[in-house]
Amino acid sequence: MIKATVAFMVVWVTAGCTRSYDPEPPAVRMPPAPTLTLATLHALYGSGSGTLEQELVVAGTVTSSDRAGNFYRTLCIEQGGYGLEILVGGESLHSRYPMGARLHLRLRGLALARSRGVLQAGVASAAYNYQELEYLTAQPLVDEHLFRGEVSELPTGKSCSIAELTPERCGTLVVVEGLKHEPLTEESPTLEGYHRFVNSSGEALHLYISPYARFASEPLPTGEVTLRGILQYLSTGDQAGPIIKPNDESDIII
């Protein structure tokens, strides 16, 4: 009896050690049909909104990933050249909502706001909160609003010049070629933080890497590079203009 018990414990412990802690993909549910495009959402609510009471549904393809830590508790979706960032609130989102997955978002009960030029959807904050939106932290709340469909091809991003990186494109996945690192002030020798890159015409953009990203300590690339990532935009400050936020180190192409 003792031998059998020990054997059972060994099997149980071994299974526990090899088990993944990533959450399981969400159950397949019939998504609500889209009632408007992301382009229309931008046209109607591009400056933000209070809590939406209408039964509005949008859909798009996931273009961001939190696997490498440069995105945290958010998902970006894209449709027809327009983007939307969803403040989901969970971790390991890449396991449940991988890049290339089609998502439907029910907007009723949510609010919209802009951050760094990106239109965001989340829960309206309390009056005393300095932030306009909060995360959909409870899984039942996420399941009420977010529906995952099939996974298609991995999105590669739209090739753009720096001049084409307008605020209207914020929240979309873009690719910019022919860039060289050219700081105006002292910058970190690693990828962490903001770094200024220019093209052959002297037009500039910034690359942003969170200090929590797994590749933040990697050295800055030398020579010409191509950058891919989600487009953000700042109107003022040292980093004013377009900002590219990559998903991982593979988006910095030497």
Side-chain angles (χ1 to χ4, degrees):
M1 183 64 180
I2 294 176
K3 290 183 178 180
T5 302
V6 171
F8 171 80
M9 291 180 65
V10 169
V11 171
W12 182 84
V13 171
T14 304
C17 291
T18 58
R19 187 175 180 179
S20 171
Y21 288 95
D22 285 344
E24 293 294 327
V28 177
R29 298 175 294 149
M30 182 63 68
T35 62
L36 72 169
T37 64
L38 287 184
T40 303
L41 184 70
H42 277 251
L44 293 176
Y45 302 102
S47 58
S49 73
T51 300
L52 295 165
E53 301 298 338
Q54 305 96 317
E55 190 58 51
L56 302 176
V57 179
V58 293
T61 300
V62 178
T63 54
S64 67
S65 171
D66 64 352
R67 182 185 293 273
N70 206 35
F71 285 86
Y72 179 63
R73 304 179 75 191
T74 68
L75 289 168
C76 292
I77 63 172
E78 184 175 335
Q79 179 197 52
Y82 289 85
L84 178 68
E85 185 174 17
I86 308 168
L87 306 187
V88 179
E91 299 182 12
S92 297
L93 296 176
H94 61 274
S95 296
R96 294 175 62 85
Y97 312 104
M99 290 183 66
R102 180 173 173 81
L103 293 188
H104 291 228
L105 178 68
R106 176 179 283 136
L107 289 165
R108 185 175 183 179
L110 301 183
L112 302 174
R114 279 196 181 272
S115 177
R116 294 170 172 249
V118 180
L119 187 62
Q120 297 179 321
V123 178
S125 294
Y128 57 81
N129 196 327
Y130 71 94
Q131 295 179 325
E132 293 186 73
L133 298 178
E134 296 179 359
Y135 294 95
L136 287 73
T137 51
Q139 193 59 49
L141 183 61
V142 174
D143 292 339
E144 177 185 343
H145 291 279
L146 201 56
F147 299 79
R148 183 189 130 174
E150 296 296 323
V151 179
S152 58
E153 294 183 3
L154 194 68
T156 57
K158 180 174 178 55
S159 181
C160 296
S161 66
I162 292 182
E164 292 174 316
L165 301 180
T166 59
E168 291 74 22
R169 289 189 184 273
C170 281
T172 65
L173 187 64
V174 298
V175 181
V176 185
E177 301 177 350
L179 299 171
K180 289 187 177 181
H181 181 230
E182 189 175 290
L184 292 178
T185 58
E186 185 177 355
E187 295 181 356
S188 166
T190 65
L191 287 173
E192 178 181 339
Y194 290 94
H195 296 282
R196 183 176 181 268
F197 286 79
V198 300
N199 61 14
S200 59
S201 300
E203 298 172 304
L205 59 78
H206 281 83
L207 174 74
Y208 175 70
I209 308 296
S210 165
Y212 300 104
R214 72 180 182 197
F215 56 102
S217 61
E218 294 293 321
L220 273 168
T222 59
E224 189 171 287
V225 299
T226 294
L227 299 179
R228 176 173 54 216
I230 300 297
L231 177 64
Q232 302 178 337
Y233 207 95
L234 289 177
S235 300
T236 59
D238 294 339
Q239 291 82 37
I243 298 168
I244 287 183
K245 187 176 181 180
N247 285 303
D248 57 37
E249 58 269 42
S250 70
D251 286 336
I252 303 171
I253 305 162
I254 300 174

